[in-house]
Amino acid sequence: MANIIPFKAVRPTRDKVSLVAARSYQSYTLEQRESRLRDNPFSFLHIVNPGYKFDKQISGEARYNLVRNRFLEFKEDSIFVQDTKPCYYIYQITDRDHQVFNGIVAAASAEDYENDVIKKHEDTIEFREVVFKDYLKTVGFNAEPVLLTYPDNAVIAQIIAEVQKERSEYEFTTTYRDTHLLWKVDNDTQIQKIAQEFQHMKRVYIADGHHRSSSSYLLYKDLKENNPQHTGMEPYNFFMSYLIPESDLKIHEFNRVIKDLNGLSKEELLIQLDMMYRIENRGQTPYHPSKKHHFSMYLDGEFYSLYLRKASYTIETSLDALDAQILYKTILQPILGIKDLRNDSRIGYINGKKDIVSMKSAIDSGNYSVGFGMVPIFMEEMKTIADDGFKMPPKSTFIEPKLRCGVTIYEF
């Protein structure tokens, strides 16, 4: 039974939402961040990058406290207002390729996360969990929802369609040509129906945001243990989520790039790979695999195709069949010496929405020595791995939609 509840969002005023809304901080280049901070005083980037005001890089606890201060200033200046009643928020995104995503922004239960009602399919990087937990504890809010997915539901779909007949609270288009619309659901009957439909679901799945959900869970544990009056209804018992039906998800892969060859020469690496893969040199023409258990590799200015030798690899579980796991078990761990995917700084990730040339550029720049590409997984594959109790390696999926930060904010 999934406990998905309405909440009182802190939100930008209608006239400023397009100015406030921002992508995740890391997705901007330095030049893009500078431009937005310089030219847009309402950007949410001013909150998450408070050092800009002082022309100084600030980190750690000092930065967290300043983030809190900037957030409070936005509230004091009435850039942000808070709804007086707990609501659900229907959020629609239409991307530049005309794909439409419809979902509900709500508060999901940390206890459901603990009890595996909210299913996890991907492993996380430990230090990121702890850092973000400490950040949340200081700033006291969450501005970027975790993306959850649920089985397509006719009742919820009907309510969404009904609400969307009314004028939206927000409508804005980004410079990336994504159009965002938001409706507030404050009708008691509709709120009750939505809550009941989620309560009938035995499980929902994390699609994107494993680190954010894990950090919110760690925060819940900390605050619960240190609150003798804990009731289970405090805001820290929940975390902001965007829930969309499974049919709306768009799944891409994450390609891997490695900083060195673990002391091997190019020829030695190829010889070791030959034990598990049939290798073909594709030259300088960009190559992307077309089916499961096939990989692309970029090394020393050339692309290679790697075809898994099925007789050399045993598949016993759903996790064993996952390409990211095969890559780890046959190449990254035994040959390149990357044992701890959660914490090893030698590995980097490039999302598959970018073309394979992005991986080539990262290696040609000298920052990395070799890269591996794969095909994206299917939704059923992801669910099966989660249901079987396994965790995929970190960064096994890059999933859309991607929401903007600062459109709805959850305080705790």
Side-chain angles (χ1 to χ4, degrees):
M1 186 176 76
N3 189 17
I4 308 295
I5 67 170
F7 70 101
K8 300 176 184 178
V10 175
R11 304 186 286 112
T13 55
R14 182 182 290 180
D15 63 313
K16 294 186 177 65
V17 63
S18 63
L19 298 170
V20 171
R23 303 198 316 271
S24 62
Y25 184 78
Q26 295 83 359
S27 68
Y28 292 97
T29 66
L30 178 60
E31 293 76 14
Q32 288 172 332
R33 285 198 297 266
E34 287 291 328
S35 171
R36 283 157 176 77
L37 289 165
R38 181 184 64 247
D39 299 331
N40 180 5
F42 302 110
S43 173
F44 192 76
L45 294 179
H46 283 284
I47 294 178
V48 294
N49 187 18
Y52 181 81
K53 181 177 181 179
F54 307 102
D55 193 25
K56 183 179 180 181
Q57 291 289 332
I58 302 172
S59 60
E61 190 70 21
R63 173 177 170 262
Y64 303 164
N65 283 307
L66 288 177
V67 168
R68 177 69 179 169
N69 290 345
R70 293 293 88 73
F71 172 67
L72 294 176
E73 288 171 6
F74 269 50
K75 291 180 70 176
E76 291 163 2
D77 293 341
S78 298
I79 299 167
F80 286 147
V81 294
Q82 185 168 26
D83 288 317
T84 58
K85 174 183 178 178
C87 302
Y88 291 113
Y89 303 89
I90 294 174
Y91 201 137
Q92 180 186 90
I93 303 171
T94 304
D95 67 18
R96 63 188 304 165
D97 299 319
H98 308 294
Q99 182 162 344
V100 180
F101 305 95
N102 283 302
I104 297 176
V105 179
S109 167
E111 189 173 6
D112 282 354
Y113 180 94
E114 182 176 50
N115 295 333
D116 216 27
V117 174
I118 296 175
K119 305 288 286 187
K120 288 75 73 175
H121 67 262
E122 189 169 293
D123 216 340
T124 51
I125 299 171
E126 188 174 5
F127 84 92
R128 288 182 59 190
E129 295 175 337
V130 175
V131 166
F132 194 59
K133 183 263 290 185
D134 293 341
Y135 169 84
L136 292 174
K137 195 171 188 176
T138 301
V139 304
F141 68 86
N142 195 335
E144 185 177 2
V146 172
L147 181 62
L148 301 180
T149 187
Y150 60 90
D152 288 34
N153 181 285
V155 174
I156 293 177
Q158 183 179 3
I159 294 173
I160 289 175
E162 289 174 357
V163 173
Q164 289 179 336
K165 292 176 183 177
E166 306 297 326
R167 182 193 177 189
S168 60
E169 186 79 7
Y170 297 150
E171 180 175 1
F172 64 96
T173 299
T174 72
T175 54
Y176 279 70
R177 300 182 183 178
D178 296 336
T179 299
H180 297 245
L181 293 92
L182 180 138
W183 293 261
K184 183 169 68 172
V185 182
D186 56 6
N187 177 281
D188 289 336
T189 301
Q190 291 174 329
I191 287 174
Q192 185 178 15
K193 283 184 178 179
I194 292 171
Q196 287 175 345
E197 288 304 310
F198 281 120
Q199 286 171 0
H200 293 155
M201 297 178 189
K202 294 182 179 179
R203 60 184 67 90
V204 295
Y205 295 82
I206 298 174
D208 188 33
H210 282 79
H211 289 93
R212 277 172 278 138
S213 53
S214 177
S215 298
S216 295
Y217 170 66
L218 293 177
L219 177 67
Y220 151 78
K221 286 180 62 179
D222 272 9
L223 297 181
K224 176 183 176 181
E225 290 169 3
N226 289 285
N227 181 9
Q229 309 301 321
H230 175 81
T231 66
M233 290 308 297
E234 296 86 355
Y236 62 73
N237 289 277
F238 300 87
F239 55 93
M240 186 168 64
S241 300
Y242 178 52
L243 297 105
I244 72 171
E246 292 173 4
S247 61
D248 273 12
L249 277 185
K250 179 71 173 176
I251 305 177
H252 304 274
E253 74 281 9
F254 261 107
N255 298 322
R256 274 75 169 129
V257 286
I258 316 298
K259 289 186 176 180
D260 59 70
L261 302 185
N262 196 29
L264 300 172
S265 67
K266 171 184 173 180
E267 291 72 21
E268 289 170 334
L269 174 62
L270 291 171
I271 289 171
Q272 292 206 32
L273 289 174
D274 192 76
M275 299 294 293
M276 296 294 295
Y277 292 90
R278 182 163 58 87
I279 305 171
E280 292 184 19
N281 188 322
R282 301 279 180 159
Q284 296 182 1
T285 303
Y287 170 76
H288 192 278
S290 59
K291 60 169 66 174
K292 283 178 63 64
H293 309 341
H294 291 187
F295 301 92
S296 63
M297 179 176 72
Y298 183 69
L299 172 67
D300 194 26
E302 295 180 310
F303 284 91
Y304 296 81
S305 58
L306 307 181
Y307 302 106
L308 181 68
R309 299 183 189 277
K310 296 179 181 179
S312 302
Y313 183 82
T314 302
I315 295 177
E316 295 180 344
T317 69
S318 55
L319 182 61
D320 291 335
L322 181 73
D323 281 349
Q325 180 74 356
I326 293 172
L327 189 68
Y328 170 66
K329 297 296 288 185
T330 62
I331 299 177
L332 300 183
Q333 182 187 44
I335 299 176
L336 295 177
I338 295 177
K339 296 180 173 58
D340 185 359
L341 289 171
R342 300 183 73 197
N343 299 296
D344 199 316
S345 62
R346 294 171 55 225
I347 186 169
Y349 304 91
I350 299 174
N351 77 68
K353 190 175 183 182
K354 301 176 180 178
D355 59 35
I356 203 74
V357 176
S358 298
M359 183 176 78
K360 176 182 183 300
S361 298
I363 295 164
D364 289 345
S365 69
N367 293 323
Y368 296 93
S369 296
V370 63
F372 300 92
M374 65 191 85
V375 297
I377 72 169
F378 299 107
M379 182 65 208
E380 285 305 315
E381 186 178 6
M382 187 177 79
K383 288 174 61 178
T384 299
I385 289 171
D387 291 344
D388 290 348
F390 296 113
K391 298 285 185 63
M392 297 192 296
K395 300 293 184 183
S396 290
T397 57
F398 178 81
I399 297 181
E400 293 181 300
K402 300 293 184 185
L403 275 71
R404 295 275 160 150
C405 300
V407 178
T408 56
I409 297 173
Y410 182 80
E411 281 193 294
F412 40 81

PDB file of all heavy atoms in Angstrom, residues 282 287-296 307 323 373-376 378:
ATOM      1  N   ARG A 282      36.021  -1.036 -35.681  1.00  0.00           N
ATOM      2  CA  ARG A 282      35.119  -0.256 -36.536  1.00  0.00           C
ATOM      3  C   ARG A 282      35.754   1.030 -37.042  1.00  0.00           C
ATOM      4  O   ARG A 282      35.075   1.838 -37.682  1.00  0.00           O
ATOM      5  CB  ARG A 282      33.850   0.082 -35.747  1.00  0.00           C
ATOM      6  CG  ARG A 282      33.096  -1.137 -35.233  1.00  0.00           C
ATOM      7  CD  ARG A 282      32.246  -1.751 -36.311  1.00  0.00           C
ATOM      8  NE  ARG A 282      31.521  -2.936 -35.833  1.00  0.00           N
ATOM      9  CZ  ARG A 282      30.440  -3.417 -36.405  1.00  0.00           C
ATOM     10  NH1 ARG A 282      29.957  -2.826 -37.493  1.00  0.00           N
ATOM     11  NH2 ARG A 282      29.849  -4.497 -35.927  1.00  0.00           N
ATOM     12  N   TYR A 287      30.304   4.147 -33.538  1.00  0.00           N
ATOM     13  CA  TYR A 287      29.545   2.897 -33.509  1.00  0.00           C
ATOM     14  C   TYR A 287      28.757   2.810 -32.208  1.00  0.00           C
ATOM     15  O   TYR A 287      29.295   3.047 -31.116  1.00  0.00           O
ATOM     16  CB  TYR A 287      30.481   1.695 -33.626  1.00  0.00           C
ATOM     17  CG  TYR A 287      29.788   0.376 -33.360  1.00  0.00           C
ATOM     18  CD1 TYR A 287      28.958  -0.203 -34.322  1.00  0.00           C
ATOM     19  CD2 TYR A 287      29.938  -0.275 -32.133  1.00  0.00           C
ATOM     20  CE1 TYR A 287      28.305  -1.402 -34.062  1.00  0.00           C
ATOM     21  CE2 TYR A 287      29.288  -1.472 -31.871  1.00  0.00           C
ATOM     22  CZ  TYR A 287      28.475  -2.028 -32.839  1.00  0.00           C
ATOM     23  OH  TYR A 287      27.810  -3.213 -32.589  1.00  0.00           O
ATOM     24  N   HIS A 288      27.478   2.474 -32.305  1.00  0.00           N
ATOM     25  CA  HIS A 288      26.632   2.275 -31.134  1.00  0.00           C
ATOM     26  C   HIS A 288      26.003   0.894 -31.241  1.00  0.00           C
ATOM     27  O   HIS A 288      25.515   0.513 -32.310  1.00  0.00           O
ATOM     28  CB  HIS A 288      25.540   3.347 -31.065  1.00  0.00           C
ATOM     29  CG  HIS A 288      24.821   3.378 -29.749  1.00  0.00           C
ATOM     30  ND1 HIS A 288      23.793   2.513 -29.441  1.00  0.00           N
ATOM     31  CD2 HIS A 288      24.988   4.166 -28.661  1.00  0.00           C
ATOM     32  CE1 HIS A 288      23.358   2.761 -28.221  1.00  0.00           C
ATOM     33  NE2 HIS A 288      24.051   3.755 -27.720  1.00  0.00           N
ATOM     34  N   PRO A 289      25.997   0.115 -30.169  1.00  0.00           N
ATOM     35  CA  PRO A 289      25.417  -1.236 -30.240  1.00  0.00           C
ATOM     36  C   PRO A 289      23.917  -1.180 -30.494  1.00  0.00           C
ATOM     37  O   PRO A 289      23.251  -0.183 -30.179  1.00  0.00           O
ATOM     38  CB  PRO A 289      25.729  -1.824 -28.858  1.00  0.00           C
ATOM     39  CG  PRO A 289      25.891  -0.638 -27.968  1.00  0.00           C
ATOM     40  CD  PRO A 289      26.497   0.429 -28.821  1.00  0.00           C
ATOM     41  N   SER A 290      23.381  -2.267 -31.035  1.00  0.00           N
ATOM     42  CA  SER A 290      21.968  -2.284 -31.406  1.00  0.00           C
ATOM     43  C   SER A 290      21.155  -3.317 -30.620  1.00  0.00           C
ATOM     44  O   SER A 290      19.940  -3.380 -30.771  1.00  0.00           O
ATOM     45  CB  SER A 290      21.816  -2.580 -32.906  1.00  0.00           C
ATOM     46  OG  SER A 290      22.411  -3.832 -33.228  1.00  0.00           O
ATOM     47  N   LYS A 291      21.799  -4.146 -29.804  1.00  0.00           N
ATOM     48  CA  LYS A 291      21.056  -5.163 -29.061  1.00  0.00           C
ATOM     49  C   LYS A 291      21.742  -5.454 -27.729  1.00  0.00           C
ATOM     50  O   LYS A 291      22.900  -5.085 -27.501  1.00  0.00           O
ATOM     51  CB  LYS A 291      20.924  -6.450 -29.872  1.00  0.00           C
ATOM     52  CG  LYS A 291      22.261  -7.082 -30.260  1.00  0.00           C
ATOM     53  CD  LYS A 291      22.070  -8.487 -30.823  1.00  0.00           C
ATOM     54  CE  LYS A 291      21.324  -8.461 -32.135  1.00  0.00           C
ATOM     55  NZ  LYS A 291      21.269  -9.824 -32.740  1.00  0.00           N
ATOM     56  N   LYS A 292      21.005  -6.129 -26.844  1.00  0.00           N
ATOM     57  CA  LYS A 292      21.544  -6.492 -25.534  1.00  0.00           C
ATOM     58  C   LYS A 292      22.770  -7.384 -25.678  1.00  0.00           C
ATOM     59  O   LYS A 292      22.881  -8.164 -26.614  1.00  0.00           O
ATOM     60  CB  LYS A 292      20.473  -7.215 -24.710  1.00  0.00           C
ATOM     61  CG  LYS A 292      19.417  -6.299 -24.115  1.00  0.00           C
ATOM     62  CD  LYS A 292      18.365  -7.081 -23.358  1.00  0.00           C
ATOM     63  CE  LYS A 292      18.952  -7.826 -22.171  1.00  0.00           C
ATOM     64  NZ  LYS A 292      19.511  -6.918 -21.144  1.00  0.00           N
ATOM     65  N   HIS A 293      23.667  -7.250 -24.701  1.00  0.00           N
ATOM     66  CA  HIS A 293      24.888  -8.037 -24.596  1.00  0.00           C
ATOM     67  C   HIS A 293      25.915  -7.685 -25.677  1.00  0.00           C
ATOM     68  O   HIS A 293      26.893  -8.407 -25.864  1.00  0.00           O
ATOM     69  CB  HIS A 293      24.611  -9.539 -24.603  1.00  0.00           C
ATOM     70  CG  HIS A 293      23.571  -9.972 -23.609  1.00  0.00           C
ATOM     71  ND1 HIS A 293      23.201  -9.202 -22.526  1.00  0.00           N
ATOM     72  CD2 HIS A 293      22.807 -11.099 -23.550  1.00  0.00           C
ATOM     73  CE1 HIS A 293      22.268  -9.836 -21.832  1.00  0.00           C
ATOM     74  NE2 HIS A 293      22.015 -10.985 -22.437  1.00  0.00           N
ATOM     75  N   HIS A 294      25.649  -6.609 -26.417  1.00  0.00           N
ATOM     76  CA  HIS A 294      26.631  -6.044 -27.337  1.00  0.00           C
ATOM     77  C   HIS A 294      27.048  -4.680 -26.790  1.00  0.00           C
ATOM     78  O   HIS A 294      26.213  -3.918 -26.291  1.00  0.00           O
ATOM     79  CB  HIS A 294      26.044  -5.870 -28.736  1.00  0.00           C
ATOM     80  CG  HIS A 294      25.761  -7.152 -29.439  1.00  0.00           C
ATOM     81  ND1 HIS A 294      25.371  -7.221 -30.760  1.00  0.00           N
ATOM     82  CD2 HIS A 294      25.810  -8.448 -29.016  1.00  0.00           C
ATOM     83  CE1 HIS A 294      25.188  -8.479 -31.116  1.00  0.00           C
ATOM     84  NE2 HIS A 294      25.441  -9.237 -30.067  1.00  0.00           N
ATOM     85  N   PHE A 295      28.346  -4.368 -26.927  1.00  0.00           N
ATOM     86  CA  PHE A 295      28.851  -3.092 -26.408  1.00  0.00           C
ATOM     87  C   PHE A 295      29.688  -2.407 -27.482  1.00  0.00           C
ATOM     88  O   PHE A 295      30.233  -3.065 -28.376  1.00  0.00           O
ATOM     89  CB  PHE A 295      29.731  -3.323 -25.169  1.00  0.00           C
ATOM     90  CG  PHE A 295      29.020  -4.025 -24.047  1.00  0.00           C
ATOM     91  CD1 PHE A 295      29.071  -5.407 -23.939  1.00  0.00           C
ATOM     92  CD2 PHE A 295      28.294  -3.311 -23.115  1.00  0.00           C
ATOM     93  CE1 PHE A 295      28.408  -6.071 -22.920  1.00  0.00           C
ATOM     94  CE2 PHE A 295      27.626  -3.961 -22.086  1.00  0.00           C
ATOM     95  CZ  PHE A 295      27.685  -5.342 -21.983  1.00  0.00           C
ATOM     96  N   SER A 296      29.769  -1.108 -27.368  1.00  0.00           N
ATOM     97  CA  SER A 296      30.749  -0.372 -28.171  1.00  0.00           C
ATOM     98  C   SER A 296      31.897   0.022 -27.247  1.00  0.00           C
ATOM     99  O   SER A 296      31.705   0.197 -26.041  1.00  0.00           O
ATOM    100  CB  SER A 296      30.119   0.873 -28.798  1.00  0.00           C
ATOM    101  OG  SER A 296      29.687   1.781 -27.814  1.00  0.00           O
ATOM    102  N   TYR A 307      31.092  -8.258 -28.817  1.00  0.00           N
ATOM    103  CA  TYR A 307      29.975  -9.195 -28.748  1.00  0.00           C
ATOM    104  C   TYR A 307      30.279 -10.252 -27.689  1.00  0.00           C
ATOM    105  O   TYR A 307      31.271 -10.985 -27.803  1.00  0.00           O
ATOM    106  CB  TYR A 307      29.738  -9.864 -30.103  1.00  0.00           C
ATOM    107  CG  TYR A 307      29.458  -8.909 -31.231  1.00  0.00           C
ATOM    108  CD1 TYR A 307      30.422  -8.643 -32.203  1.00  0.00           C
ATOM    109  CD2 TYR A 307      28.230  -8.257 -31.322  1.00  0.00           C
ATOM    110  CE1 TYR A 307      30.172  -7.765 -33.243  1.00  0.00           C
ATOM    111  CE2 TYR A 307      27.968  -7.370 -32.361  1.00  0.00           C
ATOM    112  CZ  TYR A 307      28.944  -7.125 -33.311  1.00  0.00           C
ATOM    113  OH  TYR A 307      28.682  -6.241 -34.336  1.00  0.00           O
ATOM    114  N   ASP A 323      23.022  -5.500 -18.912  1.00  0.00           N
ATOM    115  CA  ASP A 323      24.258  -5.142 -19.613  1.00  0.00           C
ATOM    116  C   ASP A 323      25.247  -4.407 -18.718  1.00  0.00           C
ATOM    117  O   ASP A 323      26.457  -4.639 -18.795  1.00  0.00           O
ATOM    118  CB  ASP A 323      23.941  -4.296 -20.845  1.00  0.00           C
ATOM    119  CG  ASP A 323      23.452  -5.144 -22.011  1.00  0.00           C
ATOM    120  OD1 ASP A 323      23.568  -6.379 -21.932  1.00  0.00           O
ATOM    121  OD2 ASP A 323      22.964  -4.573 -22.994  1.00  0.00           O
ATOM    122  N   GLY A 373      29.922   1.832 -24.514  1.00  0.00           N
ATOM    123  CA  GLY A 373      28.523   2.170 -24.737  1.00  0.00           C
ATOM    124  C   GLY A 373      27.665   0.929 -24.756  1.00  0.00           C
ATOM    125  O   GLY A 373      28.138  -0.174 -25.069  1.00  0.00           O
ATOM    126  N   MET A 374      26.388   1.099 -24.417  1.00  0.00           N
ATOM    127  CA  MET A 374      25.451  -0.030 -24.390  1.00  0.00           C
ATOM    128  C   MET A 374      24.062   0.456 -24.787  1.00  0.00           C
ATOM    129  O   MET A 374      23.841   1.653 -24.977  1.00  0.00           O
ATOM    130  CB  MET A 374      25.436  -0.672 -23.005  1.00  0.00           C
ATOM    131  CG  MET A 374      24.909   0.222 -21.902  1.00  0.00           C
ATOM    132  SD  MET A 374      25.203  -0.464 -20.249  1.00  0.00           S
ATOM    133  CE  MET A 374      26.872   0.150 -19.973  1.00  0.00           C
ATOM    134  N   VAL A 375      23.119  -0.456 -24.907  1.00  0.00           N
ATOM    135  CA  VAL A 375      21.740  -0.087 -25.240  1.00  0.00           C
ATOM    136  C   VAL A 375      20.967   0.142 -23.937  1.00  0.00           C
ATOM    137  O   VAL A 375      21.337  -0.384 -22.884  1.00  0.00           O
ATOM    138  CB  VAL A 375      21.049  -1.168 -26.091  1.00  0.00           C
ATOM    139  CG1 VAL A 375      21.756  -1.341 -27.424  1.00  0.00           C
ATOM    140  CG2 VAL A 375      20.992  -2.501 -25.337  1.00  0.00           C
ATOM    141  N   PRO A 376      19.892   0.929 -23.981  1.00  0.00           N
ATOM    142  CA  PRO A 376      19.089   1.140 -22.770  1.00  0.00           C
ATOM    143  C   PRO A 376      18.318  -0.107 -22.373  1.00  0.00           C
ATOM    144  O   PRO A 376      18.055  -0.985 -23.203  1.00  0.00           O
ATOM    145  CB  PRO A 376      18.143   2.280 -23.161  1.00  0.00           C
ATOM    146  CG  PRO A 376      18.081   2.241 -24.653  1.00  0.00           C
ATOM    147  CD  PRO A 376      19.407   1.727 -25.116  1.00  0.00           C
ATOM    148  N   PHE A 378      14.839  -2.062 -20.675  1.00  0.00           N
ATOM    149  CA  PHE A 378      13.390  -1.926 -20.779  1.00  0.00           C
ATOM    150  C   PHE A 378      12.777  -1.764 -19.389  1.00  0.00           C
ATOM    151  O   PHE A 378      13.360  -2.173 -18.376  1.00  0.00           O
ATOM    152  CB  PHE A 378      12.784  -3.148 -21.469  1.00  0.00           C
ATOM    153  CG  PHE A 378      13.269  -3.359 -22.869  1.00  0.00           C
ATOM    154  CD1 PHE A 378      14.156  -4.397 -23.160  1.00  0.00           C
ATOM    155  CD2 PHE A 378      12.855  -2.516 -23.897  1.00  0.00           C
ATOM    156  CE1 PHE A 378      14.609  -4.589 -24.465  1.00  0.00           C
ATOM    157  CE2 PHE A 378      13.302  -2.699 -25.197  1.00  0.00           C
ATOM    158  CZ  PHE A 378      14.191  -3.734 -25.479  1.00  0.00           C
TER     159      PHE A 378
END
